[in-house]
Amino acid sequence: MKKSILTAIAIMITALFFNACDNSTTPTNSQNSPVAPTNLQATSQDGSVIIKWTASTSETDPLFAGYVLNITGGTPMAPISLTKVQNPYTVSGLEDGVVYTFSLQTKFTNDSLSAPITISWSPALRFTQNENDAPIRIYETASSFGSGLVIFNSNTKLPSSAKVSDGASWTLGLYTSNSQLLLGSPSLLNYNYGTTPGTVEIADVITGVNSLDEVFDSQALNAHNFSQKTIDLSQYSSNLVLIVRHHQSGQTDWNYAKVFVEYNNGFLQGTSPNRYVEFNISYQEITGNPYAKIADKVINLNKNIK
Amino acid sequence: MKRILSIIILVALVVVASNYADAATKKKVATPKAAKPTVGKVVSLNEVATGSFIQWKKADAAAEATKGTPFVLMVGTGTKAQIYFVYNADGSFAGKKLANYAFNKKIGVVGKIQTKNGLKIIIADTIEAME
């Protein structure tokens, strides 16, 4: 009798032990709520915006189910589910000049969502060809062709080149006399213009990129420090992107652009005296739209808003 | 004495000739021939035939070129006007490319100019608007 009681107690203790062990093997190493991604950035294409972000620390969580992207600002769009490999992600079907708000959240399999991280951004015109369907080029000072870049010809709504006689149209100018290789604000270049160039300001010089698609921002372009300046291209040995702003004819507010300057074993291509510098341009046609609004900060990162 | 004088004169002549040749070479290198564009206006061959010229819109000129209308470069105006047929470097006719410049008031073409069977031809290296 005593033996059977002891056996029964042993069985109960064993059962309790296994029960405890069973509980411990469920995936309880998950955090209670998903953590938001960080560092949301954007860049513009024609009719689309590319966003990228720093992955959420919840990506390693067993409950991680991906991200949810909500877009507001234009025609209503359904939320987009993204996997962790869809970073960067291109949002297509957008309208140039409209400021959209992109809101990204981490999602768990139990449908809980992180706090959103947001950025507001606009698609913008993208030019790889000029108004003649040819590469966008301006020529060295000695050439008979134009040394001035018109980044947006309001008549054709495309880029073109311009000669010194039409300085008022110049957005950027190339100056190659006296062994110099300068690109910059036309009013600072040593030309005897036929018409006076307007004010063109340049902010940052970005290096180490292969295309405009690689130039992401997290804040509006007007947050940069702009001034009229010339860039000594001889000091650089890779592609450049210049952040530029100018006034369209009759406008007092700025129009913003990113200008990609191609480097191909040098900036000057072709044969003297018609050597040229080649460009790609991202242009925000809407006056006063610096591509974006300043990104919102993530508040209460671990807030579960399910 | 006469012999020494002859040698000195000979050496002097060699030095002068050498310097002259050197200077000539340098001059040749320092001044490459400028590639000036042939400047004119793009017109259709139909306009040349009828003598009635229009200001093209880009889309209209492109559509006309697609239909097969040849576009050429007209240098000068009136009876002194000269017509150039523009070709690409690969030998193909550049009429369609030229049509993209028909709305420009003035363009320049850099390239090798030839005259064949009385026709003026430019093998274009560069075509650019010049406004």
Side-chain angles (χ1 to χ4, degrees):
Chain A
M1 179 62 184
K2 199 174 182 182
K3 196 174 181 182
S4 54
I5 290 171
L6 281 172
T7 305
I9 289 170
I11 290 169
M12 284 170 68
I13 289 170
T14 306
L16 281 170
F17 177 75
F18 277 106
N19 191 35
C21 284
D22 189 41
N23 281 342
S24 70
T25 55
T26 55
T28 53
N29 55 340
S30 168
Q31 295 161 3
N32 289 330
S33 55
V35 176
T38 56
N39 194 28
L40 185 59
Q41 295 183 299
T43 191
S44 306
Q45 289 183 324
D46 203 347
S48 58
V49 168
I50 308 172
I51 57 168
K52 73 172 186 179
W53 60 91
T54 301
S56 163
T57 54
S58 295
E59 279 198 2
T60 55
D61 194 295
L63 293 180
F64 177 77
Y67 296 98
V68 177
L69 176 65
N70 282 286
I71 303 159
T72 56
T75 308
M77 296 174 74
I80 300 168
S81 294
L82 300 172
T83 66
K84 63 182 176 183
V85 296
Q86 290 177 289
N87 179 12
Y89 181 76
T90 303
V91 183
S92 304
L94 306 179
E95 189 180 338
D96 288 353
V98 173
V99 179
Y100 295 88
T101 298
F102 302 88
S103 174
L104 191 69
Q105 294 168 281
T106 308
K107 186 181 178 182
F108 273 179
T109 50
N110 61 10
D111 286 340
S112 63
L113 294 167
S114 72
I117 182 170
T118 65
I119 190 170
S120 293
W121 206 259
S122 282
L125 295 169
R126 178 69 67 87
F127 302 124
T128 57
Q129 292 188 315
N130 66 15
E131 62 183 15
N132 301 112
D133 295 347
I136 304 166
R137 294 172 177 170
I138 57 175
Y139 289 80
E140 61 184 305
T141 304
S143 173
S144 300
F145 297 127
S147 299
L149 176 65
V150 183
I151 59 174
F152 186 75
N153 184 328
S154 55
N155 293 323
T156 60
K157 297 193 176 294
L158 289 164
S160 63
S161 62
K163 290 169 68 71
V164 172
S165 58
D166 188 21
S169 296
W170 289 32
T171 317
L172 291 173
L174 179 65
Y175 184 82
T176 60
S177 289
N178 305 321
S179 302
Q180 291 182 297
L181 182 55
L182 301 178
L183 178 71
S185 304
S187 62
L188 300 183
L189 299 174
N190 188 22
Y191 285 114
N192 293 316
Y193 294 107
T195 54
T196 308
T199 302
V200 179
E201 295 188 336
I202 301 169
D204 303 334
V205 176
I206 299 162
T207 58
V209 293
N210 293 312
S211 84
L212 286 168
D213 288 348
E214 297 176 12
V215 184
F216 284 84
D217 289 278
S218 59
Q219 56 183 348
L221 297 191
N222 61 349
H224 295 268
N225 290 319
F226 282 90
S227 64
Q228 294 215 89
K229 64 178 75 162
T230 56
I231 311 298
D232 182 359
L233 295 181
S234 67
Q235 299 301 310
Y236 296 90
S237 56
S238 68
N239 300 320
L240 301 181
V241 171
L242 307 182
I243 309 294
V244 176
R245 67 182 183 184
H246 78 126
H247 296 295
Q248 280 186 5
S249 180
Q251 298 287 348
T252 52
D253 211 342
W254 297 103
N255 280 80
Y256 290 80
K258 295 178 186 177
V259 180
F260 178 85
V261 189
E262 187 176 298
Y263 183 90
N264 187 8
N265 292 321
F267 288 102
L268 282 176
Q269 312 292 315
T271 310
S272 177
N274 292 314
R275 290 176 299 173
Y276 56 83
V277 176
E278 199 162 302
F279 304 91
N280 288 335
I281 297 167
S282 171
Y283 186 71
Q284 186 51 261
E285 185 182 358
I286 304 299
T287 302
N289 179 359
Y291 280 70
K293 295 173 181 173
I294 293 173
D296 297 339
K297 288 179 180 173
V298 174
I299 301 165
N300 192 5
L301 278 178
N302 290 318
K303 184 183 174 189
N304 187 339
I305 61 166
K306 181 184 172 185
Chain B
M1 181 65 185
K2 230 178 187 180
R3 203 173 182 181
I4 292 169
L5 199 63
S6 306
I7 291 169
I8 289 170
I9 290 169
L10 191 65
V11 168
L13 280 172
V14 167
V15 168
V16 168
S18 167
N19 284 344
Y20 183 78
D22 194 34
T25 308
K26 279 181 182 169
K27 196 176 178 184
K28 204 173 182 179
V29 170
T31 55
K33 192 180 175 186
K36 288 284 180 190
T38 302
V39 179
K41 171 101 178 75
V42 174
V43 297
S44 75
L45 208 53
N46 293 347
E47 293 171 84
V48 177
T50 61
S52 176
F53 296 94
I54 61 171
Q55 180 56 52
W56 288 96
K57 288 180 180 170
K58 186 183 172 187
D60 295 341
E64 200 65 22
T66 304
K67 282 194 280 183
T69 302
F71 280 79
V72 295
L73 180 68
M74 184 172 76
V75 178
T77 55
T79 53
K80 289 183 179 176
Q82 293 186 317
I83 302 300
Y84 289 81
F85 289 80
V86 180
Y87 282 77
N88 297 307
D90 64 3
S92 60
F93 181 55
K96 281 187 182 175
K97 188 187 285 182
L98 221 53
N100 290 330
Y101 296 81
F103 71 92
N104 292 114
K105 293 186 179 74
K106 195 165 72 171
I107 75 155
V109 180
V110 173
K112 193 175 177 184
I113 298 175
Q114 302 172 343
T115 303
K116 288 189 176 177
N117 299 318
L119 295 178
K120 287 183 166 42
I121 289 168
I122 307 177
I123 312 296
D125 292 327
T126 307
I127 303 172
E128 279 288 347
M130 295 187 71
E131 294 176 350

